[in-house]
């Protein structure tokens, strides 16, 4: 796709999400942003998250804390701290502004007060647009996703957009749908109100995900 030259604002981002497109950069040091509108879209059916036996064991064992919006900047920084990333400086600045405006959110996992996993994204209506996740300890990004899906279900969200489908996401229940179907789901989600607010779920509530996949 051709690159846009006008300045991209937080308002531009929100209009893009509402239109079914999202921003990326070629690399960390690339100052430009381009728009993506894939023919096939990754989504998490909110009633189809696969809580495996091993992940359920980790959640049941505990030893971690889960928070909502405690460290948005740290979560984005951790997501970008990899050899190859599409999160450049303009994207970090824009999402920081969306977070300050109440549209971007992070869910964090902590062990001994250290940030070890998390996920962040944007909300509009009953849609959550997942941007990125990270794990500094094994399976902590999966723990974050399990808690996020539980919270989205509790708050009556209807669409969890993962942008692309990866093997990792597919193993947790994500699927790929055609662009036209995605836009239908998006239009419905945008017509409904919701707020992504706490408290975060207890582990016992997250374990209910196991009953729908066992």
């Amino acid at each position: 796709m051709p690159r846009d030259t006008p300045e991209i604002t937080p308002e531009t981002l929100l209009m893009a999400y509402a239109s079914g497109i999202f921003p990326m950069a070629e690399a960390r040091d690339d100052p430009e942003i381009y728009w993506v509108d894939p023919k096939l879209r990754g989504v998490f059916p909110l009633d189809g998250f696969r809580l495996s036996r091993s992940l359920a064991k980790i959640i049941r064992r505990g030893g971690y804390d889960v928070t909502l919006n405690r460290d948005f900047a740290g979560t984005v920084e951790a997501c970008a701290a990899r050899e190859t990333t599409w999160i450049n400086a303009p994207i970090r600045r824009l999402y920081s502004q969306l977070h300050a405006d109440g549209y971007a959110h992070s869910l964090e996992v902590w062990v001994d007060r250290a940030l070890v996993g998390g996920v962040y994204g944007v909300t509009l209506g009953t849609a959550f647009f997942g941007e990125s996740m990270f794990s500094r300890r094994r399976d902590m990004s999966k723990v974050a996703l399990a808690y996020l899906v539980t919270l989205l279900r509790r708050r009556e969200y209807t669409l969890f957009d993962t942008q692309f489908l990866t093997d990792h996401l597919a193993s947790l229940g994500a699927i790929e749908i055609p662009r036209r179907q995605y836009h239908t789901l998006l239009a419905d989600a945008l017509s409904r109100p919701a707020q992504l607010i706490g408290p975060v779920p207890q582990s016992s509530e997250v374990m209910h995900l196991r009953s729908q996949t066992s």
Side-chain angles (χ1 to χ4, degrees):
M1 282 186 185
R3 297 173 179 241
D4 285 352
T5 52
E7 179 186 4
I8 297 175
T9 66
E11 292 74 22
T12 307
L13 283 186
L14 294 178
M15 287 189 293
Y17 281 111
S19 300
I21 61 178
F22 56 89
M24 297 184 75
E26 290 286 359
R28 176 185 292 103
D29 298 327
D30 189 337
E32 297 188 65
I33 293 173
Y34 64 95
W35 300 108
V36 183
D37 182 17
K39 291 182 179 180
L40 293 175
R41 194 69 163 242
V43 297
F44 256 126
L46 289 169
D47 59 353
F49 185 86
R50 292 180 191 153
L51 187 63
S52 67
R53 186 174 302 169
S54 59
L55 181 55
K57 184 177 180 180
I58 292 170
I59 291 171
R60 192 182 299 112
R61 186 170 62 226
Y64 57 84
D65 295 302
V66 179
T67 58
L68 181 68
N69 293 323
R70 178 181 293 179
D71 191 357
F72 182 83
T75 301
V76 175
E77 180 180 354
C79 289
R82 56 191 68 175
E83 186 174 347
T84 302
T85 181
W86 51 266
I87 303 173
N88 63 1
I91 283 177
R92 291 172 72 162
R93 184 186 71 253
L94 286 164
Y95 283 88
S96 177
Q97 291 175 282
L98 286 181
H99 175 64
D101 292 338
Y103 292 102
H105 304 272
S106 60
L107 185 141
E108 308 92 3
V109 184
W110 308 80
V111 174
D112 297 330
R113 299 184 180 179
L115 184 60
V116 296
V119 57
Y120 79 95
V122 173
T123 57
L124 282 176
T126 59
F128 179 86
F129 307 92
E131 282 298 312
S132 190
M133 60 186 180
F134 78 97
S135 188
R136 288 174 174 158
R137 291 197 184 187
R138 185 175 179 179
D139 292 328
M140 287 300 106
S141 63
K142 293 181 181 180
V143 170
L145 283 173
Y147 274 82
L148 176 59
V149 167
T150 304
L151 182 59
L152 292 175
R153 285 163 56 99
R154 183 205 290 168
R155 295 300 175 191
E156 299 185 340
Y157 279 74
T158 60
L159 175 62
F160 186 166
D161 173 16
T162 72
Q163 299 180 348
F164 299 108
L165 182 67
T166 65
D167 291 341
H168 175 67
L169 294 175
S171 71
L172 296 169
I175 62 173
E176 212 168 40
I177 61 175
R179 181 190 291 157
R180 179 174 295 181
Q181 183 181 353
Y182 172 78
H183 280 272
T184 298
L185 295 175
L186 176 61
D188 178 70
L190 294 176
S191 71
R192 304 168 184 260
Q195 281 187 296
L196 191 59
I197 56 177
V200 297
Q202 298 294 313
S203 60
S204 57
E205 186 179 353
V206 180
M207 290 302 297
H208 287 305
L209 295 173
R210 179 70 180 156
S211 63
Q212 66 192 30
T213 57
S214 56

